[in-house]
Amino acid sequence: MTPLFPHTAITPPVAPASPSRGRVRPLGLSEVTVTGGLWAERQQLNATETLPHIHARLESEGWLSNFDRAARGALPEGRRGREFSDSEVYKYLEALAWEVGRRPDAAAEQTFRDVVARVAAAQEPDGYLNTMFGRAGQAPRWSELEWGHELYCLGHLFQAAVARHRTRPDADDGLVAIARRAADLVCRVFGPGGIERVCGHAEVETGLAELGRALREPHYLAQSALFIERRGHGTLADIEWGRAYFQDDVPVREAHSLRGHAVRANYLAAGAVDVAVEQGDDELLDAVRRQTSHAVARRTYLTGGQGSHHQDEAFGEDWELPADRAYSETCAGVSSVMLSWRLLLADGDPAHADLIERTLFNVVATAVGSDGRSFFYANTLHQRTPGEPVDPETTSPRASSSVRAPWFEVSCCPPNLARTIAALGAYVATADDRGIQVHQYADAEIRTTAPFGDVIAFHVETAYPDDGLIRVRITESPEDPWTLSLRVPSWADSATLTDGRDVQTLAPGMATVHRVFRAGDVIELRLPLEARVTHPHPLIDAVRGSVAIERGPVVYALESTDLGASVDRAVVDRGARPVERDGEVWLPIGIRDDDARTWPYGPADLSAAAAREVRLVPYRDWGDRGPSTMRVWLPTTL
Amino acid sequence: MTPLFPHTAITPPVAPASPSRGRVRPLGLSEVTVTGGLWAERQQLNATETLPHIHARLESEGWLSNFDRAARGALPEGRRGREFSDSEVYKYLEALAWEVGRRPDAAAEQTFRDVVARVAAAQEPDGYLNTMFGRAGQAPRWSELEWGHELYCLGHLFQAAVARHRTRPDADDGLVAIARRAADLVCRVFGPGGIERVCGHAEVETGLAELGRALREPHYLAQSALFIERRGHGTLADIEWGRAYFQDDVPVREAHSLRGHAVRANYLAAGAVDVAVEQGDDELLDAVRRQTSHAVARRTYLTGGQGSHHQDEAFGEDWELPADRAYSETCAGVSSVMLSWRLLLADGDPAHADLIERTLFNVVATAVGSDGRSFFYANTLHQRTPGEPVDPETTSPRASSSVRAPWFEVSCCPPNLARTIAALGAYVATADDRGIQVHQYADAEIRTTAPFGDVIAFHVETAYPDDGLIRVRITESPEDPWTLSLRVPSWADSATLTDGRDVQTLAPGMATVHRVFRAGDVIELRLPLEARVTHPHPLIDAVRGSVAIERGPVVYALESTDLGASVDRAVVDRGARPVERDGEVWLPIGIRDDDARTWPYGPADLSAAAAREVRLVPYRDWGDRGPSTMRVWLPTTL
């Protein structure tokens, strides 16, 4: 492992992950405020639309009242929802906690407390908390580790408690105490000599580790480490898709790639980074780095999305990245951000922030509709048939991917989006003992105490990603020099930086200015934001002979709404280049005959079609104008 | 509908399908004997290895003893297998019936009778027969039409009874009586005013229709017609994948394509053809023609395989044909042959025989291993990871596709292969009132009575598909002229025919010789069997920029065993052509660097790799030399 240093004794950041060591430490929600632009709008939408929508659905689906039934001893009769429905309540609580912490709101605070009280009433005296197991007429506790999700649910409970503890350390609502009792039970039951198995869905690992950090309870971290070490030894039953589905095929230290169910894989890897960092375990951290690099290089979509199989919601094999059957589950995107962020904190490598940015703009931002009340569960890169408008009162099958839906039978994604968006400020910037690193660009106010004790404060002003100018305006600075670092994304091959004195041309990576700053100083980073043509790696079969259009971190899509025909018929000349007009991206596109050969294989067909310029839309906006067909990868003439 | 004429009053052919009208009538197993070549070997293997293997597995899995338990009133305790396990016994009985009919064997006959007796003992007094439903502790009869498969199982029972009735019309084993009692019950329960719904898995439609034909019971056909008309009206519950999964989304007359679960779709369409032909229903037959043409032109793999989704075992959308996630279920191949054959009988169009040939050589022949005791459930066109050898004693998850497995938890495919291969002779040739049509080429003896009353007999002598020469040697012929028709496959663009007098060059279609034949006359068809390069339709995304190699009806594959590297790294120059040496097909192939870009999207990579000649193998033989990676579609330089 690269050398790690203990962070100085600063108050832990108000953030989802707060490792005690690492190359950089996060700046939390008390230090970073997103003030404008796309993400500020999305945070507002999250607060005013998404969170109330989720609350209403948790009630109408009966997933909240499961706790009430548990409290009054009325289960299992009338229990509703799948075995993991408790976790949606916990993710909602986590989202509410971040939101109330970010922007105090008495009504939201009361809602939070009311839900916590209902959860609290369902907890059993020994700390056990789950509405699906352990009662007469239910399966016994911990008897169905493959599919029961009991530990998974508790992992989300722990993360909710961490959010509350970090945003309102003195609150008397009781959520932290609930989590502590449950965590103590987990340590008793699953500790050495106990049930030496793991949960089919990883999550408790990172949840326990973070709860341990937040509450300074090393035995929670130790239990997390036990779970990490146990996985991969086949303590879970084999299933149709093999134990790789729940990463129980190969020990974490030995695996060569993220694999199996994509959300489980990322949650597990996040937990493994937590353990590795806290224990100074270079081997374990290297193992996760290796697996992540492999998966990013060979098993990740252009959007940052992960998961090529609908059937098992899993990563495919290397290079197996079908656009039309992309699963790219929303929760896989969320979990990939969690993992990348932990690796960024450990290593300081801006490549992790590049992937986070890509995933935020093209998976997270795509998965929630402009109404804040409709969601993609899967994020396909190619929609062949237009969907039907979805009744806002309905509940959809989980992987319906043609139209954003208000809720799903398996509805992990909406609250996962909500907690991520509410906590977005925590992914913007980090600090080390030399200064501040800005990783994500949005209008923001950043104010923190430098390791050497003085305040550093600045504003970020930008219309990014529409425009490539990022202006940093210093508002407070120590007398001593410090280093401002700004990420130059990997696609930015001609970025420039001016600090008011020099103009430097930058390579991708971290651009740094080390000097004495004064209030009023302005540093400007200019990122080249021309629309560009992107080709796939030649080993990716599914999109060979196709190109995509990107502009900055934003992936573009062609919709039938703009083409006036099914996007399956689109063809782009190999030499075609996008043009920008009035902030829009256009590309010359031809429309092939939808001919009716009786057998679709034979001699080469080299026919082309006359092209005209057609507008592309940011992928995150697709479907917003109603049902359409859509594709990111555009076939070229061969 | 094209004009149909009633077949003259010849004894019904000993064949799985015997419509009373149509352009051509099948020659059955009493008229066609396959005597040599690949299919004769496969029939022998089927008899000596596959059928005993299936019998042993039906016993060891407990699927046969379910009937014994039913007979002694011991169910549901100890019942084993899925809800459709009865059907595997019936398909096995059908296979045995054809095999005993094809080549009498006292031991096999006794086995058949023993199994029939065990089935008979389980039938209830009113004719009901199913080991999964209707007893105390089981779900009520007909209460789970979506997933219960009760009617599906009976459909296979009816087909088994038809096979027995046609091969041994005077046998006293009782299978036909069992089927008759069950069919009468179905007509009572599901007739007008009864349960006006359908089975989630089509099959009873074609089973009832054929039983009606065999036993001359028009009300069975009428019941089949009722089932056909009811489907598509949403009498089955909606499910995650929509009612299209079981074709209950759109009425059969209105659908534009085969869709949903590929086996269900083909079985249903086969039943619809049966009904349409018997009732002279042009509209219904046209609907099936339209759906089939659509699916063949846009939803079918190069191998003839169908089904692009693992998740729901379903057809994909138009042009959604991933090679690496090809499901191409073995049973879908079998059911496609059933449908194509019925359309061929109705229309006489050799295009249907082309598809049958392609599917037989590349799906049916592939799905059973050279040991006759191992099977593919799914028939992928691209295997990215070598599998592990499979223990011959094990039972595999159903869609394991990297290595042929001895048995599956859902084991529909092995007995479906067995019944198809045992009855293969019935797909070789047809007759009409002008003469004989040969559709499939193998060493064979054909002897039938012409409509005008005299015997026509000839031998087919060929090493096809290794060699393109097909020699027809007349052994008996009437005094009057008649027409010998030989199929010229669609890929054969320079076939020639000589009848000993002239040499004609032929276009694909049916080559005909109309004349007076004499015993000893020889007609020779020469099909061009050079290995050729095949390109995909430009709208098929998944294999764009790739080519396949075919030779005659045989699709070739590249295996890592021959390449010496993962086939994912293979690259073929756009201008490369296959060469043949010593009966083998070789192609210049380069191996790309398996490079380690950290992010697999960016500027174009136009690197190529030095090529050397590598041997390809017939797709049907892949995996025979042990675990390998494999691909049919070979990426070309762009």
Side-chain angles (χ1 to χ4, degrees):
Chain A
M1 184 157 80
T2 52
L4 295 168
F5 56 88
H7 289 305
T8 48
I10 302 166
T11 309
V14 180
S18 176
S20 62
R21 304 189 307 158
R23 284 279 185 196
V24 295
R25 72 168 183 88
L27 298 189
L29 302 188
S30 63
E31 297 159 296
V32 178
T33 307
V34 177
T35 55
L38 177 75
W39 291 117
E41 289 164 19
R42 292 301 183 104
Q43 289 196 306
Q44 178 69 8
L45 191 70
N46 192 49
T48 59
E49 300 297 328
T50 307
L51 288 172
H53 172 79
I54 291 172
H55 190 103
R57 282 302 189 126
L58 292 175
E59 289 284 20
S60 64
E61 297 284 342
W63 302 354
L64 257 168
S65 58
N66 287 341
F67 289 91
D68 308 334
R69 288 175 184 274
R72 63 174 191 265
L75 288 179
E77 286 71 27
R79 189 189 180 283
R80 291 174 62 193
R82 293 284 300 273
E83 57 274 32
F84 34 72
S85 68
D86 293 0
S87 73
E88 314 315 346
V89 174
Y90 304 148
K91 278 187 284 188
Y92 169 60
L93 280 175
E94 182 187 342
L96 265 183
W98 294 125
E99 182 56 29
V100 170
R102 185 178 78 83
R103 200 201 46 159
D105 177 291
E109 170 72 19
Q110 190 57 50
T111 300
F112 179 87
R113 287 171 174 266
D114 291 346
V115 173
V116 169
R118 293 166 75 179
V119 170
Q123 190 168 35
E124 303 194 28
D126 66 352
Y128 185 79
L129 183 54
N130 189 288
T131 65
M132 184 79 177
F133 288 91
R135 296 167 189 82
Q138 293 183 324
R141 290 181 185 183
W142 325 117
S143 63
E144 296 180 7
L145 289 176
E146 287 82 5
W147 302 107
H149 289 75
E150 287 160 284
L151 289 167
Y152 165 86
C153 288
L154 292 180
H156 280 299
L157 173 72
F158 301 156
Q159 290 186 320
V162 167
R164 186 61 169 176
H165 183 72
R166 294 212 171 116
T167 51
R168 292 283 182 277
D170 303 320
D172 61 354
D173 54 90
L175 182 60
V176 172
I178 296 169
R180 191 186 287 274
R181 284 193 295 271
D184 289 340
L185 176 73
V186 169
C187 293
R188 288 196 305 276
V189 173
F190 289 89
I195 302 174
E196 297 198 330
R197 300 178 66 205
V198 297
C199 182
H201 199 315
E203 161 63 20
V204 74
E205 296 81 359
T206 191
L208 268 178
E210 204 63 40
L211 191 68
R213 287 166 171 165
L215 304 184
R216 301 180 184 278
E217 292 284 7
H219 63 296
Y220 295 168
L221 188 83
Q223 183 62 45
S224 176
L226 272 180
F227 282 133
I228 295 288
E229 297 302 337
R230 276 178 199 159
R231 190 165 305 254
H233 293 281
T235 71
L236 298 173
D238 203 0
I239 59 168
E240 176 170 352
W241 310 304
R243 289 194 178 92
Y245 173 81
F246 21 57
Q247 296 77 46
D248 196 33
D249 54 336
V250 178
V252 176
R253 291 177 192 277
E254 297 171 20
H256 79 289
S257 181
L258 302 184
R259 69 212 177 281
H261 188 279
V263 185
R264 291 165 206 245
N266 276 290
Y267 282 169
L268 176 67
V273 175
D274 292 336
V275 166
V277 165
E278 295 304 319
Q279 300 193 333
D281 187 336
D282 290 5
E283 181 191 275
L284 182 59
L285 187 55
D286 271 345
V288 179
R289 287 190 189 109
R290 178 178 70 238
Q291 294 164 37
T292 307
S293 298
H294 188 103
V296 170
R298 294 159 187 251
R299 301 182 180 191
T300 300
Y301 285 102
L302 182 64
T303 54
Q306 296 180 330
S308 312
H309 294 185
H310 280 239
Q311 188 184 36
D312 47 353
E313 309 189 302
F315 281 100
E317 296 297 333
D318 290 352
W319 315 118
E320 184 180 292
L321 291 162
D324 51 2
R325 292 293 284 171
Y327 197 66
S328 180
E329 184 183 335
T330 296
C331 289
V334 166
S335 62
S336 163
V337 170
M338 287 168 55
L339 170 59
S340 293
W341 182 248
R342 282 160 175 77
L343 289 170
L344 174 65
L345 297 179
D347 295 343
D349 181 348
H352 299 301
D354 280 359
L355 183 61
I356 290 171
E357 174 179 59
R358 181 174 289 277
T359 308
L360 288 177
F361 276 112
N362 300 296
V363 179
V364 171
T366 305
V368 57
S370 55
D371 61 357
R373 292 172 174 264
S374 60
F375 311 91
F376 283 134
Y377 190 112
N379 295 276
T380 188
L381 274 73
H382 180 182
Q383 183 65 37
R384 294 185 183 275
T385 56
E388 298 288 330
V390 175
D391 175 354
E393 299 306 313
T394 198
T395 296
S396 297
R398 66 179 174 190
S400 175
S401 62
S402 58
V403 177
R404 291 177 184 85
W407 200 251
F408 306 94
E409 288 158 14
V410 174
S411 217
C412 42
C413 297
N416 225 351
L417 288 166
R419 68 180 185 138
T420 304
I421 291 171
L424 265 183
Y427 297 107
V428 169
T430 58
D432 63 12
D433 58 1
R434 293 165 301 169
I436 308 296
Q437 302 83 39
V438 183
H439 302 284
Q440 304 300 334
Y441 298 122
D443 283 343
E445 296 179 5
I446 296 178
R447 187 174 195 280
T448 186
T449 305
F452 34 89
D454 289 320
V455 167
I456 294 176
F458 56 87
H459 292 181
V460 179
E461 301 164 2
T462 182
Y464 187 84
D466 293 338
D467 185 79
L469 173 61
I470 292 122
R471 181 179 291 123
V472 175
R473 186 182 304 276
I474 307 292
T475 53
E476 295 177 68
S477 184
E479 295 295 319
D480 297 319
W482 57 278
T483 304
L484 173 68
S485 301
L486 301 174
R487 181 176 58 95
V488 179
S490 60
W491 45 262
D493 53 9
S494 57
T496 59
L497 183 78
T498 173
D499 64 353
R501 301 172 194 172
D502 309 313
V503 177
Q504 318 170 42
T505 300
L506 304 163
M510 289 307 270
T512 59
V513 182
H514 178 80
R515 69 174 216 206
V516 174
F517 291 94
R518 304 276 177 242
D521 282 358
V522 170
I523 293 86
E524 289 186 349
L525 173 67
R526 285 176 196 273
L527 299 175
L529 272 186
E530 294 81 26
R532 64 189 188 277
V533 175
T534 296
H535 296 258
H537 191 291
L539 295 191
I540 302 177
D541 290 291
V543 292
R544 180 172 293 117
S546 300
V547 295
I549 305 299
E550 298 183 282
R551 184 173 180 280
V554 176
V555 173
Y556 276 71
L558 172 66
E559 278 192 274
S560 54
T561 319
D562 297 301
L563 186 65
S566 164
V567 296
D568 284 2
R569 295 168 56 195
V571 60
V572 174
D573 190 85
R574 295 186 83 184
R577 292 287 171 272
V579 294
E580 297 188 43
R581 275 202 300 274
D582 304 327
E584 293 181 335
V585 174
W586 295 66
L587 186 71
I589 299 177
I591 300 178
R592 283 191 190 274
D593 285 342
D594 191 10
D595 68 10
R597 290 192 206 169
T598 56
W599 181 245
Y601 308 100
D605 174 343
L606 299 174
S607 65
R612 63 183 176 81
E613 284 190 356
V614 180
R615 182 173 54 168
L616 306 181
V617 296
Y619 172 70
R620 68 174 181 272
D621 293 335
W622 91 269
D624 259 2
R625 294 171 293 173
S628 65
T629 64
M630 177 279 299
R631 60 190 305 157
V632 165
W633 290 103
L634 305 171
T636 62
T637 51
L638 293 179
Chain B
M1 185 157 77
T2 52
L4 296 168
F5 56 88
H7 290 305
T8 49
I10 302 166
T11 309
V14 181
S18 175
S20 62
R21 304 189 306 158
R23 284 278 186 197
V24 294
R25 71 169 183 89
L27 298 189
L29 302 188
S30 62
E31 297 159 295
V32 178
T33 307
V34 177
T35 55
L38 177 75
W39 291 118
E41 290 164 18
R42 293 300 183 103
Q43 289 196 306
Q44 178 69 9
L45 191 70
N46 192 49
T48 59
E49 300 297 327
T50 306
L51 288 172
H53 172 79
I54 290 172
H55 190 102
R57 283 303 189 124
L58 292 175
E59 289 285 21
S60 65
E61 296 284 342
W63 301 355
L64 257 167
S65 58
N66 288 339
F67 290 90
D68 308 335
R69 288 176 184 274
R72 63 174 190 265
L75 289 179
E77 286 73 26
R79 188 188 180 284
R80 291 174 62 194
R82 292 283 301 272
E83 58 275 30
F84 34 73
S85 67
D86 292 359
S87 72
E88 314 315 347
V89 174
Y90 304 148
K91 277 187 285 188
Y92 168 61
L93 281 176
E94 183 187 342
L96 266 183
W98 294 125
E99 181 57 28
V100 170
R102 184 178 79 84
R103 200 200 48 158
D105 177 292
E109 171 72 20
Q110 190 57 50
T111 299
F112 179 87
R113 287 170 174 266
D114 291 346
V115 174
V116 169
R118 293 165 75 179
V119 169
Q123 190 170 35
E124 304 195 26
D126 67 351
Y128 185 79
L129 183 54
N130 190 289
T131 66
M132 184 80 178
F133 289 90
R135 296 167 188 81
Q138 293 183 324
R141 291 181 183 182
W142 323 119
S143 63
E144 295 179 9
L145 289 176
E146 287 81 7
W147 301 107
H149 288 76
E150 287 161 285
L151 289 167
Y152 165 86
C153 289
L154 293 180
H156 281 299
L157 173 73
F158 301 156
Q159 290 186 319
V162 167
R164 186 60 168 174
H165 183 72
R166 295 213 170 115
T167 52
R168 292 283 181 275
D170 304 320
D172 60 354
D173 56 88
L175 181 60
V176 172
I178 296 169
R180 191 186 287 274
R181 284 193 295 271
D184 290 341
L185 177 74
V186 168
C187 293
R188 288 197 303 277
V189 173
F190 288 89
I195 302 175
E196 298 199 328
R197 300 178 65 204
V198 296
C199 181
H201 199 315
E203 160 64 18
V204 76
E205 296 80 0
T206 190
L208 268 179
E210 204 63 39
L211 190 68
R213 288 167 170 165
L215 305 184
R216 301 182 184 276
E217 292 284 8
H219 63 296
Y220 296 167
L221 188 85
Q223 183 61 46
S224 176
L226 272 179
F227 283 134
I228 296 289
E229 296 302 336
R230 276 179 199 158
R231 189 160 311 248
H233 293 282
T235 71
L236 299 172
D238 203 2
I239 59 168
E240 175 169 353
W241 310 304
R243 289 195 178 92
Y245 173 80
F246 19 60
Q247 297 77 46
D248 196 33
D249 54 336
V250 178
V252 176
R253 291 177 191 278
E254 297 171 20
H256 78 289
S257 181
L258 302 184
R259 68 211 179 282
H261 189 280
V263 184
R264 291 165 207 245
N266 276 291
Y267 282 169
L268 177 66
V273 175
D274 292 336
V275 166
V277 165
E278 297 304 321
Q279 301 193 332
D281 186 337
D282 290 5
E283 181 192 275
L284 182 59
L285 187 54
D286 270 345
V288 179
R289 287 190 189 110
R290 179 178 69 237
Q291 294 165 36
T292 306
S293 299
H294 187 103
V296 170
R298 295 160 186 249
R299 301 182 179 190
T300 300
Y301 285 102
L302 181 64
T303 54
Q306 296 181 328
S308 312
H309 293 185
H310 280 239
Q311 188 183 36
D312 47 353
E313 309 189 302
F315 281 100
E317 296 297 333
D318 290 352
W319 316 117
E320 184 181 291
L321 291 161
D324 50 3
R325 293 291 285 170
Y327 197 66
S328 179
E329 184 182 336
T330 297
C331 289
V334 166
S335 62
S336 163
V337 169
M338 288 169 53
L339 171 58
S340 294
W341 182 248
R342 282 159 175 77
L343 288 170
L344 174 65
L345 296 179
D347 294 343
D349 181 348
H352 299 301
D354 280 359
L355 182 62
I356 289 171
E357 175 179 58
R358 181 174 288 277
T359 308
L360 288 176
F361 276 113
N362 300 297
V363 179
V364 171
T366 306
V368 56
S370 55
D371 61 357
R373 292 171 175 265
S374 59
F375 311 92
F376 283 136
Y377 190 112
N379 295 277
T380 188
L381 275 72
H382 180 182
Q383 183 64 38
R384 294 185 182 277
T385 55
E388 299 288 330
V390 175
D391 176 354
E393 299 306 313
T394 197
T395 296
S396 298
R398 66 180 173 189
S400 174
S401 64
S402 57
V403 177
R404 291 178 186 85
W407 201 251
F408 305 95
E409 287 158 13
V410 174
S411 217
C412 43
C413 297
N416 225 351
L417 289 166
R419 69 180 184 136
T420 304
I421 291 170
L424 265 182
Y427 298 107
V428 168
T430 57
D432 64 11
D433 58 2
R434 293 165 301 167
I436 309 295
Q437 302 82 40
V438 183
H439 301 284
Q440 304 299 335
Y441 297 121
D443 283 343
E445 297 179 4
I446 295 178
R447 187 174 194 281
T448 185
T449 304
F452 35 89
D454 289 320
V455 168
I456 293 176
F458 55 88
H459 292 182
V460 179
E461 301 164 2
T462 182
Y464 187 85
D466 294 337
D467 186 78
L469 173 61
I470 293 121
R471 181 178 291 124
V472 174
R473 187 182 304 276
I474 306 292
T475 53
E476 295 175 68
S477 183
E479 296 295 317
D480 298 319
W482 56 278
T483 305
L484 173 68
S485 302
L486 301 173
R487 181 176 59 96
V488 178
S490 61
W491 45 262
D493 53 8
S494 57
T496 59
L497 183 79
T498 173
D499 64 353
R501 301 172 194 173
D502 310 313
V503 177
Q504 318 170 41
T505 299
L506 304 163
M510 290 306 269
T512 59
V513 183
H514 179 79
R515 68 173 216 206
V516 174
F517 291 95
R518 303 276 176 241
D521 282 358
V522 171
I523 293 87
E524 289 186 349
L525 173 67
R526 285 177 196 273
L527 299 175
L529 272 185
E530 295 79 28
R532 64 188 188 276
V533 176
T534 296
H535 297 257
H537 191 291
L539 295 191
I540 303 177
D541 289 292
V543 292
R544 180 173 292 116
S546 300
V547 295
I549 305 300
E550 297 184 281
R551 185 173 179 280
V554 177
V555 173
Y556 276 71
L558 172 66
E559 277 193 274
S560 53
T561 318
D562 297 301
L563 186 66
S566 165
V567 295
D568 284 2
R569 295 167 56 195
V571 60
V572 175
D573 189 85
R574 296 187 83 185
R577 291 288 171 271
V579 294
E580 297 189 44
R581 274 201 300 274
D582 304 328
E584 293 181 337
V585 174
W586 295 67
L587 186 72
I589 299 177
I591 300 178
R592 284 191 190 274
D593 286 342
D594 190 11
D595 69 9
R597 290 193 207 167
T598 55
W599 181 244
Y601 307 99
D605 174 345
L606 300 175
S607 66
R612 63 184 176 79
E613 282 190 358
V614 180
R615 182 173 53 169
L616 306 181
V617 296
Y619 172 70
R620 68 175 181 270
D621 293 335
W622 91 268
D624 258 3
R625 294 171 292 173
S628 66
T629 63
M630 177 279 299
R631 61 189 306 157
V632 165
W633 290 103
L634 305 171
T636 62
T637 52
L638 292 179

